């Protein structure tokens, strides 16, 4: 994405920006906190319990806010619906086929895991592309941005239909 937007994208700069990302830093901090037993330590006193409760409340508000922001950007442009529809449909079909092969060869075949893992793999492969992709696009590519937003919107609808089919198959 950086190259498309006219920026340099060397391996070292990508790794540095990845490691400096607030999301990655939060994940690393969360793993370290869990390993050293910080949540149990915080639950043991009133101040720590208040901090955990506050974080829980903020976390509960985060999901609806994310949905509002994503929903505001996603619009289905009816003038050019065929290209996003077939792009999303092709992606879903391709990934479900890949998930089928992985399930038969690896999950059920080699590892002998139960259907829960098969459903989890299908779920992972059917999910829409990341919603943040258009955010990283420069303003010069507005037509491409709209195509990506339309494709993500169509993918969400097709994913819901595919989930219903998955539920019927694995019921």
């Amino acid at each position: 994405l950086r190259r498309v937007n006219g920026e340099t994208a060397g391996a070292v700069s990508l790794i540095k920006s990845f490691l400096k990302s607030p999301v990655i830093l939060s994940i690393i901090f969360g793993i370290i906190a869990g390993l050293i037993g910080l949540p149990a330590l915080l639950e043991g006193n009133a101040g720590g319990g208040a901090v955990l409760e506050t974080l829980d409340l903020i976390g509960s508000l985060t999901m609806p806010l994310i949905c509002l922001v994503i929903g505001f950007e996603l619009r289905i442009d009816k003038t050019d619906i065929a290209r996003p529809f077939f792009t999303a449909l092709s992606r879903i079909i391709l990934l479900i086929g890949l998930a089928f092969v992985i399930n038969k060869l690896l999950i059920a075949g080699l590892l002998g895991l139960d259907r829960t893992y098969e459903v989890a793999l299908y779920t992972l492969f059917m999910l829409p592309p990341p919603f943040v992709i258009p955010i990283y696009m420069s303003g010069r590519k507005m037509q491409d941005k709209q195509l990506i937003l339309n494709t993500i919107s169509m993918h969400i609808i097709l994913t819901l239909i595919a989930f219903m089919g998955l539920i019927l198959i694995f019921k």
Side-chain angles (χ1 to χ4, degrees):
L1 284 174
R2 285 187 178 184
R3 277 192 213 140
V4 168
N5 291 328
E7 300 173 26
T8 59
V12 174
S13 69
L14 287 175
I15 291 171
K16 282 182 183 178
S17 67
F18 175 78
L19 293 175
K20 289 181 181 178
S21 165
V23 173
I24 300 304
L25 291 173
S26 298
I27 291 170
I28 292 169
F29 176 73
I31 291 170
I32 292 170
L35 289 174
I36 64 173
L38 186 61
L41 184 67
L42 289 175
E43 287 175 353
N45 63 53
V51 168
L52 290 177
E53 184 65 28
T54 302
L55 291 174
D56 190 42
L57 289 171
I58 291 171
S60 298
L61 293 173
T62 304
M63 181 61 75
L65 289 174
I66 290 171
C67 289
L68 284 172
V69 170
I70 291 170
F72 180 77
E73 279 283 322
L74 296 179
R75 291 182 183 88
I76 297 178
D77 183 10
K78 296 173 188 127
T79 58
D80 184 25
I81 200 75
R83 197 164 134 196
F85 175 78
F86 287 114
T87 301
L89 184 64
S90 300
R91 184 179 189 274
I92 288 176
I93 290 170
L94 179 73
L95 290 175
I96 287 176
L98 185 59
F100 178 80
V101 171
I102 292 171
N103 268 329
K104 291 301 173 192
L105 296 177
L106 187 65
I107 304 293
L110 184 64
L111 299 175
L113 300 172
D114 64 21
R115 291 179 74 83
T116 305
Y117 294 96
E118 293 182 42
V119 173
L121 187 71
Y122 280 114
T123 301
L124 174 68
F125 276 54
M126 283 191 302
L127 291 175
F131 298 111
V132 298
I133 291 173
I135 293 172
Y136 292 107
M137 297 181 71
S138 72
R140 297 176 288 138
K141 308 281 186 185
M142 200 50 155
Q143 185 179 7
D144 292 340
K145 183 176 182 178
Q146 191 57 47
L147 174 65
I148 291 171
L149 287 170
N150 286 340
T151 303
I152 292 172
S153 298
M154 288 305 306
H155 205 299
I156 291 167
I157 294 167
L158 293 174
T159 297
L160 292 172
I161 294 168
F163 273 130
M164 288 184 237
L166 184 69
I167 290 169
L168 289 173
I169 291 170
F170 283 98
K171 188 175 182 182

